[in-house]
Amino acid sequence: MSDEEYYRSLGIDPTPRPPAPLDAEQLREAKELDAYWTPERLRNARPLDDPDGAPLGDTNGTGPALRAPSHEVAGGFGNVGVFVVTRAGGKEDRFCTASVVDSPSMNLVISAAH
């Protein structure tokens, strides 16, 4: 059974849809985030659960979260990236790993749910 047939058997339309347009407030917030996450902030972000852990590292894959996945887990989800967040009122830049999930809406990711 193909993925499309499987989703249809569950009553889910697997046809990809274009993203909804952003309203003015969403666009403003997205621009603020783009401006905030500079290459330096990304490199210096620390693990979400371990403030003393190694920083994320550079974009060439030398940081701990930017290396290729060591293995696939339950159902074949490969580690493909990171979530970046701020804590303590923007005083702490943090990250945790995340994986893309193949889904009909094509916008689903999983993380460790910190």
Side-chain angles (χ1 to χ4, degrees):
M1 175 180 293
S2 71
D3 286 348
E4 181 177 347
E5 292 169 328
Y6 172 73
Y7 288 123
R8 290 194 188 284
S9 74
L10 296 174
I12 299 171
D13 180 2
T15 307
R17 294 172 188 83
L22 298 177
D23 64 32
E25 178 65 14
Q26 291 169 319
L27 185 57
R28 184 193 62 75
E29 289 176 3
K31 287 180 178 180
E32 283 181 7
L33 287 171
D34 282 346
Y36 180 84
W37 287 107
T38 62
E40 181 179 5
R41 280 198 168 112
L42 288 169
R43 278 191 304 272
N44 293 322
R46 300 283 178 172
L48 191 59
D49 289 342
D50 183 8
D52 297 321
L56 184 57
D58 67 39
T59 57
N60 294 318
T62 59
L66 295 178
R67 294 187 185 118
S70 60
H71 62 281
E72 291 185 344
V73 295
F77 301 121
N79 177 346
V80 296
V82 297
F83 280 128
V84 287
V85 297
T86 60
R87 294 176 75 176
K91 296 178 184 173
E92 298 177 358
D93 295 331
R94 301 299 180 92
F95 73 90
C96 70
T97 57
S99 298
V100 174
V101 177
D102 184 19
S103 67
S105 63
M106 299 185 344
N107 64 356
L108 184 62
V109 295
I110 58 172
S111 74
H114 299 279

